Amino acid sequence: MFVNSDDIEKMDQRYRIALINSITGFKSANLVGTVDANGITNLNIVNSCVHIGAHPPLIGFISRPHSVPRDTIENIEATGFYTINHINEAIFRQAHQTSARYPQDQSEFDATGLTELWENDFTAPYVQESLLRMGIKFRKKLPIDINNTDMIIGEIIQIHIPEDCLVENGSVDIEKAGSIAISGLDRYHRTQHIARLSYAKPDQKIKVIE
Amino acid sequence: MFVNSDDIEKMDQRYRIALINSITGFKSANLVGTVDANGITNLNIVNSCVHIGAHPPLIGFISRPHSVPRDTIENIEATGFYTINHINEAIFRQAHQTSARYPQDQSEFDATGLTELWENDFTAPYVQESLLRMGIKFRKKLPIDINNTDMIIGEIIQIHIPEDCLVENGSVDIEKAGSIAISGLDRYHRTQHIARLSYAKPDQKIKVIE
């Protein structure tokens, strides 16, 4: 099927949202944990985490006007810290449920039954059921003026990785850690290893490492 | 295993790159196609495509100093157009091979054997072997001054979707389209459907739609 700008413009709003959210490709599945000045915690599913750089270690996500509740962003700006926690198959329904609009004084941890984990004196709550967890220091809110969204950029200052998922070269086998992928707004997928490939050079044939 | 900022800072550079690239979660697997003023085409694997908004339909990716060859960005800025093509299991080795540093006068299409597809009078080459293809109009280069990277933002103006992968609500079953996921720098994964979940509301239990 072929669709052009005019077709996209004429689409029903919900149809367009479903379509355009689907075609980026597979997305990471993470929970962002924060806390406000009154100690009320907040947890929100985010599917737009993107690697920005390794030194300093930077991770970004897109805060769209209606996609990420204001409390997440307000808490990040107020406290300067948040957690990013990989979603696995055991918790994907609860993770999805965090996208419901709960009253501001209700914690999504309580509402969904996910467990707050306070460790290493970190300012924001981790998700205990998540096996791969990151503590993030807020660095910058980058406005995207075309559609009034923001990219929230943070520095990774703590990482918790399951011991047996760390490979000798520093990479992490996140499939082994049980992390899952999202497509579109509502589809969840487990993954199945195809191959790990060697570093590409112009005059060499790619090798399968694993 | 627990790692903090000091540990990350002290890591060997390659180890740190492998680690920090792994922990964002699963990534989309796309090929970005461009052409220069002399008609030399360029093709580059990109794993950082991110949804920015549906109206207008915007997609972004991160251009890191050494991750995306300069020709891709130069061609995008010079011509104003590029294509984004989903990678599937039949072409993932060739897609990976596009990350090798070929001379500027050599097209990665020729080098890898992937096929240029010129259709619908679009200014940039599509990848014929890709089933889900997007024609993009360049909108903005957003500098990220923390580490001198850029987010390249474009508007989706053409979409080619396999007919049988489009669901009635507008969403696309990209797993059915054969699209794959990446983790880290070099791991490729096929996916396996877990569930499609209903829209989350505070007072309702999540339902499995598919």
Side-chain angles (χ1 to χ4, degrees), chain B residues 59-124:
Chain B
I59 190 167
F61 69 88
I62 305 296
S63 165
R64 284 172 287 149
H66 298 291
S67 73
V68 178
R70 297 308 315 163
D71 2 350
T72 296
I73 306 307
E74 281 167 16
N75 291 353
I76 289 174
E77 293 191 289
T79 66
F81 294 93
Y82 52 110
T83 68
I84 297 181
N85 309 266
H86 279 215
I87 298 169
N88 55 55
E89 204 168 334
I91 60 168
F92 81 100
R93 286 166 188 252
Q94 290 151 295
H96 188 78
Q97 183 66 41
T98 65
S99 64
R101 305 203 181 286
Y102 290 103
Q104 199 152 11
D105 62 354
Q106 187 177 7
S107 169
E108 287 80 7
F109 281 100
D110 296 334
T112 63
L114 290 167
T115 314
E116 290 176 17
L117 177 64
W118 297 90
E119 59 180 347
N120 305 306
D121 297 320
F122 201 68
T123 309

Side-chain angles (χ1 to χ4, degrees), chain A residues 1 23 86 96 161 175 189, chain B residues 1 23 86 161 175 189 198:
Chain A
M1 207 189 67
I23 57 177
H86 279 216
H96 188 77
I161 310 164
E175 179 173 298
H189 311 258
Chain B
M1 206 189 67
I23 56 177
H86 279 215
I161 310 164
E175 180 173 299
H189 311 257
S198 61

Side-chain angles (χ1 to χ4, degrees), chain A residues 38-196:
Chain A
N38 301 315
I40 298 173
T41 57
N42 189 281
L43 192 64
N44 193 241
I45 189 168
V46 167
N47 64 21
S48 59
C49 282
V50 63
H51 173 83
I52 294 177
H55 195 212
L58 298 176
I59 190 166
F61 69 88
I62 305 296
S63 165
R64 285 173 286 149
H66 299 291
S67 72
V68 178
R70 298 308 315 163
D71 2 352
T72 296
I73 307 307
E74 282 167 15
N75 291 352
I76 288 174
E77 293 191 288
T79 66
F81 293 94
Y82 52 110
T83 68
I84 296 181
N85 308 267
H86 279 216
I87 297 170
N88 55 56
E89 204 168 332
I91 59 169
F92 81 100
R93 287 165 188 254
Q94 290 152 295
H96 188 77
Q97 183 66 42
T98 64
S99 64
R101 305 202 182 286
Y102 291 103
Q104 200 152 11
D105 61 354
Q106 188 178 5
S107 169
E108 288 80 7
F109 281 100
D110 297 334
T112 63
L114 290 167
T115 313
E116 291 176 16
L117 177 64
W118 298 90
E119 58 179 348
N120 304 307
D121 296 320
F122 201 68
T123 309
Y126 286 102
V127 177
Q128 187 174 298
E129 291 83 356
S130 172
L131 300 179
L132 213 159
R133 308 184 290 274
M134 290 167 265
I136 313 288
K137 184 181 178 184
F138 175 54
R139 289 290 299 267
K140 190 159 193 172
K141 184 163 90 171
L142 200 67
I144 302 171
D145 59 11
I146 308 176
N147 68 345
N148 293 314
T149 56
D150 296 296
M151 185 154 73
I152 308 296
I153 302 175
E155 182 173 339
I156 303 165
I157 60 171
Q158 295 191 350
I159 314 174
H160 306 74
I161 310 164
E163 204 83 41
D164 61 342
C165 299
L166 187 66
V167 180
E168 69 279 358
N169 75 331
S171 70
V172 182
D173 187 341
I174 64 170
E175 179 173 298
K176 192 173 179 185
S179 302
I180 61 174
I182 297 179
S183 70
L185 293 163
D186 52 15
R187 282 187 161 78
Y188 294 82
H189 311 258
R190 66 179 76 88
T191 64
Q192 199 178 18
H193 176 84
I194 302 171
R196 190 177 149 211

Side-chain angles (χ1 to χ4, degrees), chain A residues 196-210:
Chain A
R196 190 177 149 211
L197 297 181
S198 61
Y199 189 81
K201 293 183 178 177
D203 50 351
Q204 282 180 18
K205 216 170 146 48
I206 291 282
K207 290 192 196 83
V208 173
I209 301 176
E210 283 176 39

